[in-house]
Amino acid sequence: SQELEQSPQSLIVQEGKNLTINCTSSKTLYGLYWYKQKYGEGLIFLMMLQKGGEEKSHEKITAKLDEKKQQSSLHITASQPSHAGIYLCGARIQGAQKLVFGQGTRLTINP
Amino acid sequence: DVKVTQSSRYLVKRTGEKVFLECVQDMDHENMFWYRQDPGLGLRLIYFSYDVKMKEKGDIPEGYSVSREKKERFSLILESASTNQTSMYLCASRRAAGGNYEQYFGPGTRLTVT
């Protein structure tokens, strides 16, 4: 089973609508990273969250880490076609040196 | 500007061939990683390297080996390619200390084994 669970696995939204992607673990997350991947390409770093309750924004994308540091959400406001792609969360879990990744969420924006 | 490059974007090989995937980073990072990405499974760690000539198995090392002779270069080797190794391969690097564990990724190599 995945150490990081992302939901939903796939999302289709109308352009201009808001959307949320979740990333959940049963263990404490020491550093939560959100990446975006255009189809068939490498990963682009979006944001990193470390502290419980932390929230960061970049343009129309906001990411939060809950107080218990076991869940993060990525929220996109007024979605645009440029937001389409695969969103992955990655995290260090309870002292592990490596990052583990969720399975990804494929986002499609319909015009 | 940080840069991780991979030798090929697309590669087609036959079953049984020996395959080399090269990754180069220009950021003087100590740590380097090889992942494979498959639909529904996300990124899975194959091997990683803490420093030159050091390597450790990740979660799915079977059928793969690696080489790190120079700090900037990390090679993934498929000794005898099989069809179940058809996948997207991503290389990443990061600084070992003093950073926030952020990994920088290359553009990926899509390998097809026929």
Side-chain angles (χ1 to χ4, degrees), chain A residues 13-19 36 38 59-60 76-85 87 107-111:
Chain A
V13 300
Q14 205 71 26
E15 183 178 351
K17 297 293 186 185
N18 303 337
L19 63 105
K36 180 187 174 184
K38 291 266 187 200
E59 297 180 344
K60 294 186 178 180
I76 299 177
T77 304
S79 57
Q80 300 167 355
S82 60
H83 289 130
Y87 290 82
L107 174 63
T108 302
I109 307 293
N110 284 338

Side-chain angles (χ1 to χ4, degrees), chain A residues 2-3 9 33 35 37 39-45 48 50 86 88 92 96-104, chain B residues 9-10 35 37 40-43 45 48 50 57-59 88 90 94 100-108 110:
Chain A
Q2 294 274 144
E3 289 184 277
Q9 291 195 24
Y33 304 79
Y35 288 87
Q37 183 182 30
Y39 300 120
E41 298 184 8
L43 276 64
I44 299 169
F45 172 75
M48 184 197 74
Q50 280 190 308
I86 298 171
L88 289 112
R92 283 192 301 129
Q97 292 295 316
K98 309 173 288 186
L99 287 187
V100 294
F101 286 87
Q103 68 270 57
Chain B
R9 291 298 302 274
Y10 300 94
Y35 295 90
Q37 183 181 28
L41 297 176
L43 267 68
L45 183 63
F48 61 104
Y50 283 124
K57 293 180 180 179
D59 300 317
M88 175 70 140
L90 291 160
R94 72 163 186 226
N100 55 20
Y101 279 87
E102 178 190 338
Q103 294 187 10
Y104 296 86
F105 283 84
R110 186 166 292 281

Side-chain angles (χ1 to χ4, degrees), chain A residues 1-9 20-34 49 64-74 87-93 100-105:
Chain A
S1 64
Q2 294 274 144
E3 289 184 277
L4 279 184
E5 290 284 342
Q6 273 186 249
S7 62
Q9 291 195 24
T20 300
I21 299 168
N22 293 303
C23 178
T24 305
S25 174
S26 57
K27 301 177 183 176
T28 302
L29 305 173
Y30 296 92
L32 189 290
Y33 304 79
W34 282 101
L49 304 163
K64 299 178 187 179
L65 182 62
D66 74 340
E67 290 289 344
K68 288 185 178 179
K69 300 204 308 183
Q70 289 184 300
Q71 182 172 2
S72 178
S73 60
L74 185 86
Y87 290 82
L88 289 112
C89 63
R92 283 192 301 129
I93 293 181
V100 294
F101 286 87
Q103 68 270 57
T105 296

Side-chain angles (χ1 to χ4, degrees), chain B:
Chain B
D1 206 16
V2 299
K3 194 118 183 185
V4 180
T5 56
Q6 294 181 227
S7 50
S8 306
R9 291 298 302 274
Y10 300 94
L11 210 51
V12 180
K13 296 290 182 181
R14 293 188 185 277
T15 301
E17 277 193 82
K18 189 169 186 175
V19 182
F20 292 87
L21 301 182
E22 302 284 337
C23 176
V24 178
Q25 49 95 6
D26 65 0
M27 297 164 282
D28 202 35
H29 284 170
E30 293 82 9
N31 301 166
M32 295 187 76
F33 306 81
W34 273 108
Y35 295 90
R36 64 177 281 178
Q37 183 181 28
D38 301 286
L41 297 176
L43 267 68
R44 292 181 293 168
L45 183 63
I46 304 171
Y47 264 98
F48 61 104
S49 169
Y50 283 124
D51 211 330
V52 179
K53 296 192 187 291
M54 295 173 68
K55 58 186 179 186
E56 285 203 29
K57 293 180 180 179
D59 300 317
I60 50 164
E62 296 78 20
Y64 303 94
S65 62
V66 290
S67 173
R68 183 109 182 260
E69 295 297 317
K70 293 185 177 181
K71 192 174 186 179
E72 67 271 18
R73 189 180 298 269
F74 191 34
S75 303
L76 181 70
I77 303 154
L78 286 66
E79 294 291 341
S80 178
S82 63
T83 54
N84 62 14
Q85 292 178 310
T86 291
S87 186
M88 175 70 140
Y89 290 87
L90 291 160
C91 173
S93 72
R94 72 163 186 226
R95 196 164 300 284
N100 55 20
Y101 279 87
E102 178 190 338
Q103 294 187 10
Y104 296 86
F105 283 84
T109 296
R110 186 166 292 281
L111 172 68
T112 302
V113 182
T114 60

